[in-house]
Amino acid sequence: MRIERVELRRISLPLVTAFRTSTGAQYHRDVLLVRVEGPDSEGWGECVAMNEPLYSAEYVDSAHAVTRAHLLPRLLGRRLTPEEIGPALAAVRGHPMAKAALEMAVLDAELTAQGRSLAAYLGAVCDRVPSGVSVGLPGPGGVPELLDTVAAHLAAGYRRVKLKIEPGFDIEPVRAVRERFGPDLALQVDANSAYTRADAGHLARLDPFALVLIEQPLAEDDLAGHALLSGQIATPVCLDESITSAVVAADAIDRGACSVVNIKAGRVGGYLEARRIHDVCRARGVPVWCGGMLETGLGRAANLALAALPGFTLPGDISASDRYWRRDVTRPFVLDGGYMALPGGPGLGVRPDPGFLAEVTTSVEEITPSG
Ligand code: NPG
């Protein structure tokens, strides 16, 4: 498609409850949405960069700035297929979340024009996926509050629970959740890089709780440390922040740094690189699952399409809209018996509600080839 006009829109959405991780607390999301317009279609992309540079160096203001100043000038006015977006932006180093949002918008526009769904294009093999839930660190209520939260999510039907952990809040909460909900609960933990190599003995104390995995225990750049740790604990090590491309994924697996991979399109520069990571992992027999970044319905729809690929054999962090939002920008995503249906329909299969979008918009810029 020829990219004739791009809209950069910022929206502000309060979270239903605060989301706390070892890197900090989130109370609302300030989201950058991208709308691209071609001669006969439009498409939407969602940038998953957070308000602050705590999960990644990239954050929403940096993504917005680099998109405007360095990415759009490489795309505007050009005729490009979705596969050509990554190469067209490759000269700009880093900023995968900003790049992913643009690629997502072009995919949506192009596939909508072709009448083809993103899921079919990516190679989906099912029309619904099992839904997992990510439970943040609790507030002042501590472990009892955590148990109530988990109980409510299980009552809603979630098929797997991920607990956020950090030093000082790890063994006891995991023990409490395992004791209360029993051995059949699919339970995993996410440390967001909060530990060091010296914590291996401590993390081995999670072994008796038969966790599905421990996600990103060590620093993002410490593949060697993750390889060492994998030999010291029984819980399978999964990487998130460390996996920035298909090349890194292959290297991490071949070095024994992980036996499971979390795939987030935003972290790796887009859904096409995400699919390449899926392919690399699948070829090596490594299970993958789809991560989440507190997306609106737009990002949620795209994640569902990705999570329907055959290598996604573990439930992902794709929960219902009401887990995060009082009202989503698209039609709400709901659980049905612990599963979520793919939207179907061309492109993403969902569109934002224009009235609601206007209500939550904090700024809009229209950019055309002439500036
Ligand atoms: O359900 O969308 C979701 C959130 C899943 O826990 C989740 N995301 O580290 O994977 C993560 C985490 C995260 C949350 C990362 C907020 C960055 C910011």
Side-chain angles (χ1 to χ4, degrees), residues 64-90:
H64 196 157
V66 80
T67 300
R68 185 198 295 117
H70 301 285
L71 302 181
L72 289 180
R74 289 174 159 80
L75 305 181
L76 275 164
R78 294 182 63 190
R79 187 179 298 282
L80 294 165
T81 64
E83 297 76 19
E84 288 168 335
I85 299 296
L89 301 178

Side-chain angles (χ1 to χ4, degrees), residues 24-94:
Q26 297 255 115
Y27 298 90
H28 79 285
R29 284 224 52 212
D30 177 355
V31 187
L32 170 65
L33 298 180
V34 178
R35 188 175 67 86
V36 300
E37 230 178 274
D40 41 36
S41 60
E42 64 158 29
W44 287 88
E46 172 171 346
C47 178
V48 299
M50 296 288 153
N51 307 9
E52 296 181 283
L54 302 178
Y55 167 84
S56 58
E58 207 175 2
Y59 66 110
V60 65
D61 287 333
S62 73
H64 196 157
V66 80
T67 300
R68 185 198 295 117
H70 301 285
L71 302 181
L72 289 180
R74 289 174 159 80
L75 305 181
L76 275 164
R78 294 182 63 190
R79 187 179 298 282
L80 294 165
T81 64
E83 297 76 19
E84 288 168 335
I85 299 296
L89 301 178
V92 176
R93 302 203 184 234

Side-chain angles (χ1 to χ4, degrees), residues 86-115:
L89 301 178
V92 176
R93 302 203 184 234
H95 304 284
M97 295 172 181
K99 292 174 178 175
L102 287 166
E103 185 201 78
M104 175 178 160
V106 174
L107 275 167
D108 184 34
E110 184 74 38
L111 293 169
T112 300
Q114 293 173 15

Side-chain angles (χ1 to χ4, degrees), residues 19 50 55 134 162 164 190 192 240 264 292-295 317 319 324:
F19 190 74
M50 296 288 153
Y55 167 84
S134 173
K162 158 168 142 179
K164 293 287 185 179
D190 183 4
N192 289 111
D240 171 10
K264 289 176 182 164
M293 294 286 285
L294 316 173
E295 287 91 348
D317 283 343
S319 40
Y324 292 111

Side-chain angles (χ1 to χ4, degrees), residues 237-258:
V237 172
C238 170
L239 290 176
D240 171 10
E241 287 91 324
S242 295
I243 305 297
T244 50
S245 67
V247 168
V248 174
D251 186 38
I253 295 165
D254 295 347
R255 290 214 249 159
C258 63

